[in-house]
C-alpha cells in the first residue's frame, strides 16, 4: 500500500510541476509578445499577416516620379543640388542616361541606380540633360510613366550656346584635339548664299528649344512640365525653388540660409546640414571669348525659334 501511495504522490508532484512549467512558458511568451509589440510601435512599424500584402523593407528603391530632362548647360546640376535640400526629396547623383544610352540594360538596372528611400512620401528625382534633345526619350518615358513630372530649366539660348561651346573647347583641349572656333562651327551658307545657323552643330541645336519640346508634347501635356528660368535661378534660386516645390506637391521647406553665395564663382552653393555643397571646377568657369558680331548673329538667328518656343509653352522670357 505504501508503494502505491508513493507512486500517487510522485504522479501528483509531476502534474503540478508540469502545470507550473506550462504557466511559466505561457507567461514568458506573453512577455515576449508584449515587448515585440512595444518595440515595433516605438519604431512606427505596422505588420499585416495577409498573404496578399507585401510588407516593404525598411529601405527600398523606386523609380523616379520626376525627371530633370534638360537643358544641357542650363543649370541642371545646380537645380538638382538645390532641390535636394528638401527633406522629402531623394536624388540620383549621377546621370544614368537610361532613356537614351542605357535603355537596353532594362528597368531592373534602372531601379538599382535609384537611392534608398525610407518613407513612401519621399520623391525620387533623376536628371540627365541629354534626354531633352534625344528623339527616342519622350516615348520611352511615357511608356514607363505617362504621369511623369518633367522639369526643364532653360536659359538665354545665346549664352547657353557659348557655355556649351566652352565645355566642348576645353574637352578637346584636354584630349589634345584640334580646337573649334565658334564663328566657324556655328554658321553655314545655304544654297541661296544666305548665312544660317549650323543645324548639325550640337551647341547650336541644343539651343533650339522649340524643336525639342515639340517632340515631347507629342506624348505629354504641358501640365506635365515645369519650365524653370535658368537666368532667374542663377541670380535668385529661392524664387524658382518655390515653384519646383509647388510643382512636386511639396511643402515649402527650403530656407534662404541654405543658399550660400560663392563670390569667387559668382553663383550659389547649398547647405543641407553644416556642409556646403558647391558645383565642380568645370561649372561656372569663364566662357571663351566670342565677338559681338557672332553674338548678334546668333541672337537674330535664334529669334524665330525663341518666339515659337514661347508660343508652345505659353510663357515668355527676356531674351532680347
Amino acid at each position: 500500500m505504501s508503494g502505491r501511495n508513493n507512486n500517487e504522490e510522485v504522479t501528483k508532484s509531476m502534474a503540478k510541476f508540469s502545470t507550473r512549467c506550462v504557466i511559466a512558458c505561457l507567461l514568458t511568451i506573453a512577455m515576449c509578445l508584449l515587448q515585440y509589440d512595444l518595440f515595433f510601435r516605438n519604431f512606427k512599424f505596422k505588420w499585416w499577416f495577409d498573404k496578399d500584402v507585401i510588407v516593404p523593407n525598411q529601405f527600398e528603391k523606386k523609380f523616379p516620379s520626376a525627371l530633370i530632362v534638360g537643358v544641357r548647360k542650363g543649370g541642371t546640376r545646380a537645380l538638382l543640388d538645390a532641390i535636394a535640400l528638401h527633406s522629402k526629396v531623394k536624388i540620383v547623383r549621377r546621370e544614368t542616361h537610361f532613356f537614351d544610352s542605357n535603355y537596353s540594360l532594362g528597368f531592373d538596372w534602372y531601379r538599382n541606380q535609384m537611392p534608398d528611400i525610407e518613407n513612401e512620401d519621399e520623391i525620387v528625382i533623376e536628371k540627365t540633360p541629354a534626354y531633352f534633345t534625344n528623339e527616342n526619350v519622350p516615348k520611352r518615358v511615357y511608356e514607363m510613366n505617362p504621369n511623369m513630372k518633367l522639369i526643364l530649366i532653360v536659359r538665354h539660348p545665346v549664352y547657353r550656346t557659348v557655355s556649351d561651346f566652352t565645355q566642348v573647347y576645353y574637352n578637346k583641349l584636354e584630349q589634345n584635339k584640334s580646337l573649334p572656333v565658334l564663328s566657324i562651327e556655328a554658321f553655314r551658307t545655304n544654297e541661296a548664299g544666305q548665312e544660317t545657323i549650323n543645324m548639325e552643330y550640337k551647341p547650336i541645336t541644343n539651343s533650339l528649344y522649340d524643336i525639342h519640346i515639340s517632340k515631347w508634347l507629342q506624348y505629354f501635356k504641358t501640365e506635365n512640365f515645369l519650365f524653370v528660368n535658368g537666368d532667374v535661378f542663377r541670380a535668385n534660386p529661392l524664387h524658382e525653388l518655390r515653384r519646383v516645390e509647388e510643382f512636386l506637391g511639396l511643402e515649402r521647406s527650403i530656407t534662404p540660409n541654405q543658399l550660400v553665395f560663392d563670390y569667387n564663382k559668382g553663383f550659389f552653393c547649398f547647405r543641407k546640414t553644416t556642409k556646403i555643397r558647391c558645383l565642380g571646377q568645370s561649372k561656372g568657369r569663364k566662357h571663351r571669348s566670342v565677338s559681338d558680331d557672332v553674338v548678334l548673329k546668333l541672337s537674330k538667328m535664334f529669334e524665330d525659334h525663341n518666339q515659337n518656343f514661347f508660343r508652345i509653352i505659353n510663357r515668355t522670357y527676356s531674351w532680347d
Side-chain angles (χ1 to χ4, degrees):
M1 290 292 294
S2 61
R4 181 181 298 176
N5 291 335
N6 288 338
N7 287 338
E8 289 178 352
E9 291 293 331
V10 170
T11 301
K12 290 179 180 179
S13 297
M14 291 182 65
K16 290 180 180 180
F17 178 76
S18 298
T19 302
R20 289 172 181 171
C21 285
V22 171
I23 293 172
C25 288
L26 290 174
L27 288 172
T28 302
I29 292 171
M31 290 298 296
C32 288
L33 289 173
L34 179 61
Q35 292 296 322
Y36 178 88
D37 183 62
L38 289 173
F39 174 82
F40 281 99
R41 283 187 183 180
N42 288 338
F43 284 87
K44 297 182 180 180
F45 282 104
K46 185 177 180 181
W47 293 83
W48 292 266
F49 296 96
D50 187 333
K51 66 180 180 180
D52 295 325
V53 176
I54 299 175
V55 180
N57 295 325
Q58 182 179 357
F59 301 102
E60 63 176 355
K61 297 178 184 292
K62 68 177 182 180
F63 291 122
S65 54
L67 298 176
I68 299 176
V69 297
V71 298
R72 172 180 160 90
K73 307 308 295 181
T76 57
R77 171 54 61 180
L79 180 60
L80 185 73
D81 286 345
I83 196 60
L85 295 173
H86 201 289
S87 60
K88 294 298 184 181
V89 170
K90 297 286 189 179
I91 65 169
V92 186
R93 285 285 171 194
R94 58 184 287 269
E95 296 175 7
T96 69
H97 285 273
F98 174 67
F99 292 103
D100 58 339
S101 303
N102 295 320
Y103 195 65
S104 62
L105 297 178
F107 287 98
D108 287 341
W109 178 88
Y110 187 44
R111 186 194 295 272
N112 287 332
Q113 311 311 305
M114 300 299 111
D116 291 329
I117 64 166
E118 300 178 42
N119 301 299
E120 283 299 316
D121 60 349
E122 290 178 326
I123 292 176
V124 177
I125 302 177
E126 189 241 321
K127 81 101 179 170
T128 300
Y131 288 164
F132 183 56
T133 57
N134 187 293
E135 61 183 10
N136 296 317
V137 172
K139 182 175 184 291
R140 290 171 176 175
V141 174
Y142 183 82
E143 288 176 345
M144 189 191 86
N145 181 4
N147 298 313
M148 182 73 77
K149 292 181 180 291
L150 305 166
I151 301 174
L152 182 71
I153 179 169
V154 295
R155 58 185 294 207
H156 194 301
V158 174
Y159 303 140
R160 196 224 64 82
T161 298
V162 174
S163 180
D164 203 344
F165 167 78
T166 298
Q167 181 164 320
V168 171
Y169 179 92
Y170 282 109
N171 287 345
K172 289 185 178 294
L173 182 64
E174 293 172 0
Q175 298 166 8
N176 294 318
K177 295 182 178 180
S178 59
L179 301 177
V181 178
L182 185 59
S183 59
I184 296 175
E185 301 290 346
F187 306 106
R188 287 290 182 267
T189 302
N190 62 21
E191 295 178 354
Q194 298 174 326
E195 191 174 45
T196 63
I197 52 177
N198 182 4
M199 301 286 285
E200 296 180 358
Y201 189 51
K202 280 192 174 182
I204 292 291
T205 57
N206 289 341
S207 293
L208 304 179
Y209 306 144
D210 61 323
I211 292 177
H212 307 301
I213 193 63
S214 296
K215 295 175 182 177
W216 281 87
L217 294 180
Q218 291 177 14
Y219 297 92
F220 293 96
K221 298 178 181 179
T222 54
E223 289 77 13
N224 287 86
F225 275 91
L226 175 69
F227 299 99
V228 177
N229 189 329
D231 299 312
V232 172
F233 175 75
R234 179 165 181 160
N236 182 12
L238 191 60
H239 178 276
E240 295 299 284
L241 287 172
R242 289 288 181 250
R243 297 181 60 237
V244 176
E245 288 174 320
E246 182 179 358
F247 177 69
L248 297 176
L250 299 171
E251 293 183 358
R252 290 188 173 187
S253 171
I254 300 171
T255 60
N257 63 3
Q258 292 180 286
L259 310 174
V260 182
F261 191 75
D262 186 327
Y263 287 92
N264 292 323
K265 286 198 169 186
F267 53 71
F268 284 85
C269 301
F270 311 108
R271 180 196 290 122
K272 189 161 189 176
T273 53
T274 57
K275 183 180 179 181
I276 297 176
R277 175 180 289 274
C278 290
L279 299 179
Q281 294 181 352
S282 65
K283 308 293 183 181
R285 60 187 167 192
K286 187 177 179 180
H287 287 171
R288 294 293 300 163
S289 178
V290 177
S291 69
D292 292 341
D293 179 58
V294 171
V295 171
L296 182 60
K297 286 198 295 186
L298 285 174
S299 296
K300 289 181 177 179
M301 293 180 184
F302 282 140
E303 180 61 24
D304 288 343
H305 290 282
N306 294 344
Q307 293 302 320
N308 193 37
F309 179 63
F310 299 158
R311 181 188 60 78
I312 292 172
I313 68 171
N314 194 30
R315 186 177 181 182
T316 60
Y317 297 101
S318 300
W319 289 346
D320 299 332

